[in-house]
């Protein structure tokens, strides 16, 4: 289910990432290298011998997902993220964190037991040898299963230590093709609460990576246990099963890459990467991972040096009323929005752009409490959060025929452990000509057994440099069927980055699934937005 509580603390991860960012900011040697174009250090959870140059900071966040059609709700998910910092050309330290909490899709011993496994890992990787063809490295991880809980493991266990030792060897066949061989030993408890657990697992893995160009690459790997067991059978016993991964990577910018996966694995830390999805290891998970490698000397875009943005282009970086913008904020800029209005609806949205074509959005919103909205489509009337990345793949402001972006938001109620989690994805395409900007915004939302989709169409007309008129409509289908619409006027206060919106809509919210659920009555709102330039701050 998407309604998961991530047990590791966001505040702790934020401080770790901030510390790594500060450390990276003092290192300038070779940082102009484009890391995302190099051969990967990992293929999913499979380790290669590759390491990156001194001062390289890498950050990741992602999730894997089972087919939602095979289970109640939206399927099973593994959420994960991490970071690494290269102290020297040979030595890298990093951390990974992940959470899994779901009942199994297929039965184990006649039932579908709930399984929870939250893991935090610290690791070091050292490159022993490297020439033009061969690279040999070693990785050691010390990991803590913060919480492991399932009836098949006798209940709940906390703070169980696990770890892995890996000795990957990579062979560079050509500039665009490499092979990898990785022997590993993973150490886990033999039992939890008196019930069998995985114990010690020895494995051998092989993999390959192919570069299809500067921006596109592919990889595949298989890791097979040769001793011990790494999966749970349908009968409840333990057995061996190969863990496989295939992936493709597209470099959105020279600093950020989007990786897509198919795998039967259920771990992305060094130790848990040998585990398959339970039972049997025959369930296929699909997923996405965002990789970010900041560096002031790296190029900003594959489109070359960006042209200065006009005031109109900056205004169109802001989302509409119920439609998203295909553009993102300028690098180093933060946009904060605050809104409220009738039917107790309101919220706060923050969007920060660390890179030329990427933005991180965090939203807190309370949907309308109007009783005419179908209760079965409203995940909650309490305050809820949403967060996720937004990427721009095409930019009309810098040579592309139109702008194209995509966004992924995960959200849930924040005042209850049983709050409903909602998955939301949308793509945004816009075309600007003269005073008119046209937007198309396909969107999909899902929670539990509810699915809603729509294609939003919008127009933004600049009456003057200060005043914009906005009209939007979204035909809706699947479990929701009523058309949502919005109309608004935006006033931009000179070049201050401040804008004021007056909006009317029949949608219960301005973000996520709230844009796909209609109420009978018109809802009015007032929104204030301000853009802040944070490029002068030391942390950025």
């Amino acid at each position: 289910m998407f309604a998961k509580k991530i047990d590791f603390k966001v505040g702790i991860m934020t401080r770790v990432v901030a510390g790594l960012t500060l450390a990276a900011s003092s290192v300038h040697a070779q940082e102009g290298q484009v890391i995302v174009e190099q051969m990967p250090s990992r293929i999913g959870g499979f380790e290669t011998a590759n390491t990156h140059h001194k001062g390289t900071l890498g950050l990741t966040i992602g999730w894997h997902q089972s087919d939602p059609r095979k289970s109640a709700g939206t399927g099973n998910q593994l959420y994960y993220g991490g970071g690494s910092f290269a102290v020297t050309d040979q030595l890298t330290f990093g951390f990974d964190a992940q959470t899994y909490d779901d009942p199994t899709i297929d039965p184990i011993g006649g039932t579908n037991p709930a399984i929870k496994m939250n893991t935090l890992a610290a690791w070091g990787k050292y490159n022993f040898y490297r020439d033009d063809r061969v690279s040999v490295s070693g990785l050691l991880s010390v990991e803590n299963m913060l919480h492991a809980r399932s009836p098949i493991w006798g209940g709940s266990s906390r703070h169980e230590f696990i770890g892995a030792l890996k000795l990957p060897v990579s062979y560079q066949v050509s500039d665009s093709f490499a092979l990898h061989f990785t022997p590993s030993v993973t150490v886990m408890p033999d039992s939890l609460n008196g019930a069998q657990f995985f114990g010690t697992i020895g494995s051998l893995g092989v993999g390959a990576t192919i570069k299809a160009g500067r921006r596109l690459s592919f990889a595949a790997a298989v890791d097979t246990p040769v001793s011990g067991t790494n999966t749970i059978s349908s009968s409840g016993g333990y057995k061996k099963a190969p863990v496989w991964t295939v992936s493709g990577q597209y470099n959105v910018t020279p600093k950020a890459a989007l990786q897509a996966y198919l795998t039967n694995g259920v771990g992305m830390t060094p130790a848990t990467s040998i585990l398959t999805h339970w039972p049997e290891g025959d369930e296929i998970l699909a997923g996405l991972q965002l990789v970010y490698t900041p560096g002031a000397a790296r190029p900003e875009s594959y489109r070359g040096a960006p042209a200065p943005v006009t005031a109109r282009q900056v205004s169109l970086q802001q989302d509409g009323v119920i439609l998203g913008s295909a553009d993102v904020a300028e690098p180093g800029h933060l946009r904060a929005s605050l809104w409220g209005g009738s039917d107790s609806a309101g919220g706060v949205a923050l969007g920060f752009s660390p890179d030329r074509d990427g933005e991180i959005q965090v939203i807190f919103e309370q949907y309308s409490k109007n009783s005419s909205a179908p209760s079965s489509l409203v995940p909650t009337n309490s305050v809820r959060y949403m967060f996720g990345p937004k990427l721009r793949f095409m930019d009309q402001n810098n040579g592309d025929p139109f702008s194209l972006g995509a966004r992924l938001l995960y959200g849930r109620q924040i005042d209850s452990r049983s709050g409903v989690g909602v998955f939301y994805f949308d793509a945004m395409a816009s075309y600007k000509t003269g005073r008119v900007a046209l937007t198309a915004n396909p969107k999909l939302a899902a929670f539990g057994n509810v699915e809603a989709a729509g294609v939003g169409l919008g127009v933004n007309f600049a009456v003057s440099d200060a005043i914009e008129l906005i009209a939007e409509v979204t035909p809706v289908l699947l479990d929701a069927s009523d058309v949502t619409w919005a109309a608004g006027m935006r006033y931009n206060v000179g070049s201050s980055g401040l804008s004021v919106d007056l909006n009317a809509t029949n949608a219960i919210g301005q973000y996520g699934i709230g844009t796909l659920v209609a109420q009978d009555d018109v809802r009015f709102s007032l929104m204030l937005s301000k853009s802040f330039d944070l490029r002068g701050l030391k942390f950025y």
Side-chain angles (χ1 to χ4, degrees):
M1 317 293 171
F2 276 99
K4 301 293 175 289
K5 180 173 178 64
I6 301 178
D7 287 347
F8 52 82
K9 304 300 183 183
V10 173
I12 294 175
M13 294 184 69
T14 302
R15 288 193 292 271
V16 172
V17 171
L20 288 172
T21 304
L22 287 171
S25 66
S26 64
V27 180
H28 301 288
Q30 305 181 63
E31 70 168 358
Q33 294 186 23
V34 179
I35 304 305
V36 294
E37 294 179 7
Q38 298 176 4
M39 288 294 179
S41 60
R42 285 184 184 176
I43 303 171
F46 177 84
E47 203 71 32
T48 75
N50 297 322
T51 57
H52 299 305
H53 65 76
K54 178 181 178 180
T56 298
L57 171 65
L59 303 172
T60 62
I61 187 170
W63 108 103
H64 289 159
Q65 159 81 43
S66 68
D67 186 344
R69 296 171 298 180
K70 298 184 64 175
S71 63
T74 53
N76 291 11
Q77 290 84 34
L78 174 74
Y79 298 100
Y80 50 88
S84 64
F85 183 74
V87 181
T88 69
D89 288 351
Q90 289 77 38
L91 179 62
T92 299
F93 290 108
F95 76 96
D96 296 294
Q98 67 178 41
T99 179
Y100 178 95
D101 189 358
D102 263 316
T104 61
I105 296 173
D106 297 318
I108 296 177
T111 66
N112 294 77
I115 294 178
K116 180 173 186 173
M117 184 184 288
N118 294 339
T119 308
L120 180 64
W123 53 268
K125 184 176 182 179
Y126 187 78
N127 181 247
F128 296 104
Y129 175 81
R130 179 185 297 160
D131 61 23
D132 292 340
R133 293 287 186 182
V134 178
S135 182
V136 182
S137 297
L139 180 142
L140 177 66
S141 75
V142 178
E143 310 182 24
N144 189 304
M145 283 196 304
L146 304 174
H147 195 181
R149 183 184 66 208
S150 179
I152 60 178
W153 298 328
S156 181
S157 295
R158 293 184 181 272
H159 301 297
E160 299 283 350
F161 281 93
I162 61 177
L165 174 63
K166 304 191 176 191
L167 298 173
V169 179
S170 294
Y171 179 72
Q172 196 73 35
V173 180
S174 67
D175 289 342
S176 60
F177 181 53
L179 298 173
H180 314 283
F181 175 73
T182 305
S184 306
V185 176
T186 300
V187 179
M188 297 187 183
D190 293 325
S191 63
L192 294 179
N193 304 307
Q196 183 180 355
F197 200 61
F198 293 100
T200 300
I201 307 165
S203 63
L204 293 176
V206 294
T209 50
I210 301 173
K211 290 179 59 178
R214 289 188 65 193
R215 304 184 69 174
L216 186 63
S217 60
F218 301 95
V222 178
D223 203 0
T224 302
V226 294
S227 65
T229 54
N230 70 323
T231 196
I232 303 172
S233 69
S234 299
S235 63
Y238 284 69
K239 68 176 190 178
K240 297 180 177 69
V243 183
W244 59 266
T245 299
V246 294
S247 69
Q249 174 174 305
Y250 177 76
N251 301 335
V252 182
T253 76
K255 301 179 186 179
L258 188 64
Q259 298 176 342
Y261 289 95
L262 291 176
T263 183
N264 70 334
V266 76
M268 290 290 280
T269 71
T272 62
S273 64
I274 192 60
L275 303 181
T276 71
H277 191 274
W278 27 68
E280 301 292 344
D282 56 5
E283 186 69 36
I284 298 176
L285 306 180
L288 291 173
Q289 180 173 230
L290 180 64
V291 178
Y292 182 52
T293 60
R298 302 196 210 289
E300 285 194 10
S301 171
Y302 284 104
R303 289 181 287 271
V309 290
T310 66
R312 172 67 168 160
Q313 290 168 345
V314 170
S315 177
L316 291 173
Q317 293 169 356
Q318 184 176 347
D319 290 328
V321 184
I322 59 173
L323 300 186
S325 168
D327 289 310
V328 299
E330 292 298 290
H333 285 68
L334 169 72
R335 181 178 294 276
S337 300
L338 172 67
W339 69 94
S342 54
D343 298 324
S344 302
V348 176
L350 301 174
F352 176 68
S353 177
D355 197 11
R356 169 57 52 185
D357 292 305
E359 186 174 323
I360 300 169
Q361 293 189 335
V362 180
I363 302 134
F364 297 89
E365 184 171 16
Q366 180 170 285
Y367 289 153
S368 167
K369 294 186 177 181
N370 191 294
S371 60
S372 65
S375 59
S376 62
L377 301 178
V378 182
T380 177
N381 283 321
S382 299
V383 178
R384 58 193 304 275
Y385 68 80
M386 287 170 275
F387 70 95
K390 178 182 177 183
L391 301 175
R392 179 173 57 188
F393 300 97
M394 299 174 65
D395 181 9
Q396 185 180 354
N397 302 333
N398 286 283
D400 291 323
F402 58 92
S403 292
L404 177 65
R407 173 173 55 187
L408 186 67
L409 295 175
Y410 169 76
R412 62 177 290 145
Q413 179 180 333
I414 64 176
D415 63 357
S416 170
R417 292 178 62 88
S418 61
V420 174
V422 179
F423 167 84
Y424 178 79
F425 170 80
D426 65 343
M428 297 78 71
S430 69
Y431 178 73
K432 314 173 190 73
T433 176
R435 293 182 177 271
V436 177
L438 304 175
T439 297
N441 186 191
K443 52 182 72 176
L444 171 68
F447 71 92
N449 292 317
V450 174
E451 294 180 345
V455 179
L457 301 173
V459 58
N460 179 301
F461 178 73
V463 178
S464 66
D465 291 341
I467 298 177
E468 303 171 22
L469 299 180
I470 301 170
E472 301 169 343
V473 62
T474 303
V476 181
L477 63 157
L478 300 182
D479 293 322
S481 58
D482 293 332
V483 172
T484 59
W485 60 265
M489 182 181 72
R490 175 169 297 162
Y491 178 71
N492 300 302
V493 184
S495 59
S496 65
L498 175 66
S499 64
V500 182
D501 288 22
L502 290 173
N503 302 317
T505 181
N506 72 333
I508 65 169
Q510 291 191 207
Y511 285 90
I513 193 173
T515 66
L516 292 168
V517 179
Q519 61 183 52
D520 294 341
D521 303 317
V522 178
R523 181 174 62 82
F524 299 94
S525 65
L526 171 69
M527 181 169 71
L528 302 177
S529 297
K530 180 71 170 72
S531 179
F532 301 91
D533 186 348
L534 305 182
R535 289 175 296 176
L537 299 181
K538 289 184 179 181
F539 81 87
Y540 184 79

